[in-house]
Amino acid sequence: MLPDINWNLVSLETLSAIILVFLVIVDIVLPKKVEKDWIGIFSFIALAGLILFWLTQGSLTGLTFSGMFVMDSLAWFFKGLFLITMVFVFAMTQEFFKSLGERRNEFYLLLWLAFIGMCLVASSADFLLMFIAIEILTISLYVMTAYLKSDKLSIEAGMKYLILGALASGFFLYGISFLYGVTHSTHFDVIQGYCQTHALSSMTLFAMVLIFAAVGFKIAAVPFHMWVADVYQGAPTPVTALLSVGSKAAGFIVLIRLFFGVFGAWHLQWGLALAIISAITMTYANLVAMYQTNIKRLLGYSSISHAGYLLMGAAAGSALGASGINFYLLGYLFTNLAAFLVIVVFSIATKSDEIADYAGLSKRSGILAFTLLLALVSLAGMPPLAGFFGKFTLLMAVIKSGYVWLALIAGVNIVISLYYYLMVAKRIYVDAPRSTSPIPVPAGIRLLLTIAILGIIVIGIFQGPFLDAAITAVNRMDLLAH
């Protein structure tokens, strides 16, 4: 007998699947040599419609599919992040593949599949659904990472990501099997109930370590970061942007669901371990980032360091910590996507991702230079931008939870990161340009750059509404134990 399904709760995912099927049919029906980018145009129209539809779902809550799928404020918040991310990534894809010419339609379809996977991750209330959702997202990313089959770096990146990703999937399944052996369930609510009435045993600890190893791969935490630099450099830039924002956000909603909800009762046992991993992650990444000469590799190590900052919120194990993660990811979204928009346009014009070639960018394109400068100083945590208040919220969370030493280490790391971010800024505004030819910026990209700039500034100055949204997402989360 089929379970009673509330299709209203899964309506966003259902509509996305229908759009994907429609686009597959359009791709089949359309002549292969067509001038207009119909799949891209239809995708933007569909994304605009989905954003409007998502806005109407703010108060939607409940469980369906036999308790495996949850729709709550946390899922709603992250699905909004994913929708905004996809708008930017689709725009990057349209611009990036314009210069390459072929096989653009299949890439759009893979992006839609990745989006569906991210949405399912956000609403997972069962380990089996969560595993399937992560695999939908990750398999799409495997293919997109190695999409430039004539580029050796892209093929290498795809192979490394595939091998290490498969290993992470194995860890996740192995952890679930041990957890099932102890609790006799894969449902989050049942396992959470077990955790609240039982002490942490060697078996459940082993399961948690394996599960965190898989999640650590998604969020790029040390020592599960080995893939990041090579994959960020070799993958097509739109994929790198999706990995740095969408995939990382998906990893952190898993972390919030599990370590604030399911395993929340055992916070005293795992909080210190996460704090140590946080400190090692941010310190290692910031030190290595100083020696990078490729802008995508630099942002790769920057992404690892930001995983370290975000893990501070997880180590805190409090509602403020979870809210801090949500708020930080919102600011990080606009900041990182702004940087990758600039990289896409610059790499198309110069055929280079080397930092040295960014010399004198301010004399070649004012908007690209200003956007990248703003993104870099926001990533560094300079006030009054989004990155500053995000870091401030996480620092407050760990201090209130008693991890003053972690806050001090984070402060030192913020100073270290200023060095390599401002070195790039120096090249942009101080160094002499290697070429004087202006870099054209299409109208659509210029609009998105403006939106990203406004996002960085507005979230930083007028934090109230955005912080309230981040707090509401946590306070109304059904599985939050703290």
Side-chain angles (χ1 to χ4, degrees), residues 192-406:
Q192 184 178 6
Y194 176 90
C195 295
Q196 290 171 344
T197 55
H198 294 75
L200 182 65
S201 65
S202 56
M203 187 76 80
T204 48
L205 176 61
F206 186 54
M208 284 178 63
V209 170
L210 289 171
I211 290 169
F212 179 77
V215 178
F217 173 83
K218 296 301 298 179
I219 64 176
V222 174
F224 314 105
H225 68 285
M226 295 83 72
W227 59 276
V228 173
D230 291 335
V231 172
Y232 272 47
Q233 181 181 2
T237 306
V239 182
T240 308
L242 183 58
L243 283 166
S244 72
V245 179
S247 182
K248 186 179 290 292
F252 271 100
I253 193 173
V254 171
L255 197 72
I256 292 172
R257 290 272 185 215
L258 298 184
F259 287 86
F260 287 84
V262 178
F263 305 130
W266 295 336
H267 171 252
L268 289 177
Q269 284 85 355
W270 53 255
L272 179 59
L274 286 185
I276 293 170
I277 293 171
S278 169
I280 294 171
T281 298
M282 66 177 83
T283 304
Y284 166 82
N286 282 319
L287 289 175
V288 177
M290 292 192 294
Y291 300 98
Q292 301 308 306
T293 58
N294 182 284
I295 190 76
K296 288 168 72 176
R297 288 184 75 89
L298 183 141
L299 287 179
Y301 284 106
S302 168
S303 176
I304 297 171
S305 73
H306 287 282
Y309 298 134
L310 285 158
L311 279 171
M312 291 195 299
S318 61
L320 179 60
S323 303
I325 291 173
N326 291 347
F327 181 79
Y328 194 102
L329 284 170
L330 181 60
Y332 183 74
L333 179 154
F334 286 103
T335 303
N336 234 34
L337 291 176
F340 279 108
L341 271 173
V342 174
I343 291 170
V344 166
V345 176
F346 183 85
S347 64
I348 290 170
T350 64
K351 303 294 185 289
S352 173
D353 290 319
E354 293 301 307
I355 295 172
D357 291 323
Y358 280 77
L361 177 61
S362 60
K363 297 176 177 64
R364 303 180 66 186
S365 174
I367 189 169
L368 291 181
F370 178 72
T371 304
L372 188 54
L373 173 67
L374 201 67
L376 291 170
V377 294
S378 180
L379 287 170
M382 296 280 283
L385 305 176
F388 166 76
F389 201 76
K391 286 184 173 66
F392 178 79
T393 308
L394 291 173
L395 288 170
M396 289 299 297
V398 291
I399 290 170
K400 286 189 175 182
S401 295
Y403 295 111
V404 178
W405 61 269
L406 181 57

Side-chain angles (χ1 to χ4, degrees), residues 417-432:
S417 70
L418 273 171
Y419 169 78
Y420 61 83
Y421 288 130
L422 293 181
M423 282 301 294
V424 179
K426 171 188 169 292
R427 287 199 179 276
I428 294 170
Y429 277 94
V430 177
D431 291 1

Side-chain angles (χ1 to χ4, degrees), residues 98-114:
K98 192 182 292 181
S99 61
L100 298 177
E102 58 180 14
R103 298 190 308 130
R104 182 169 48 189
N105 290 352
E106 292 90 339
F107 198 91
Y108 286 133
L109 301 177
L110 287 166
L111 285 176
W112 276 105
L113 195 60

Side-chain angles (χ1 to χ4, degrees), residues 64-69 125-128 180 183-193 262:
T64 188
F65 283 100
S66 301
M68 297 178 72
F69 185 100
D126 183 279
F127 273 110
L128 294 180
Y180 180 82
T183 64
H184 309 294
S185 178
T186 56
H187 276 44
F188 288 175
D189 55 350
V190 175
I191 298 171
Q192 184 178 6
V262 178

